[in-house]
Amino acid sequence: MSYFIDSQAPSTDPELAEVFLPADQPLERMTAELIAAAQRDGRTAPGLDPWREADLLVSGAVGLGQDVLHRRRTLEDVRRTLDYHLDKIFAGGRRTLR
């Protein structure tokens, strides 16, 4: 129960929220901009919402990173999972970074 209460602190404490829940989301924004640029160049699967894809990628990477820290997954498994999702985003296009 104390974990649940502690995990809710950022949403109820303005000072903690400022640190843990910033209003801007720079990593998500940068990722969405990269996906949107690739989309404009025809290097992504059609019909994607760059912001939603970026949100899934960033939150997935963070969650999977936690699994690595807790030894629930290997780093290689996490890379394969992220590559799988990136390959879906860039289906028909070419990813230049791996």
Side-chain angles (χ1 to χ4, degrees):
M1 185 63 154
S2 67
Y3 171 77
F4 176 76
I5 292 168
D6 290 343
S7 69
Q8 300 302 308
S11 62
T12 57
D13 182 322
E15 290 178 15
L16 283 176
E18 189 174 325
V19 173
F20 290 103
L21 305 171
D24 63 335
Q25 296 171 305
L27 188 55
E28 290 88 341
R29 184 175 52 253
M30 179 191 72
T31 304
E33 289 169 359
L34 290 169
I35 292 170
Q39 193 174 43
R40 285 189 298 275
D41 293 341
R43 295 183 290 127
T44 66
L48 295 179
D49 179 330
W51 181 258
R52 299 280 181 215
E53 296 299 336
D55 200 21
L56 283 170
L57 277 171
V58 171
S59 62
V62 169
L64 291 168
Q66 292 287 330
D67 282 354
V68 170
L69 289 174
H70 294 289
R71 297 185 178 151
R72 294 186 60 227
R73 297 178 195 265
T74 65
L75 188 54
E76 183 57 34
D77 185 43
V78 168
R79 284 183 179 141
R80 280 194 303 267
T81 299
L82 293 173
D83 278 342
Y84 172 83
H85 190 66
L86 287 167
D87 287 343
K88 286 176 57 177
I89 292 171
F90 294 98
R94 195 177 115 237
R95 278 197 298 140
T96 56
L97 298 176
R98 273 223 178 189

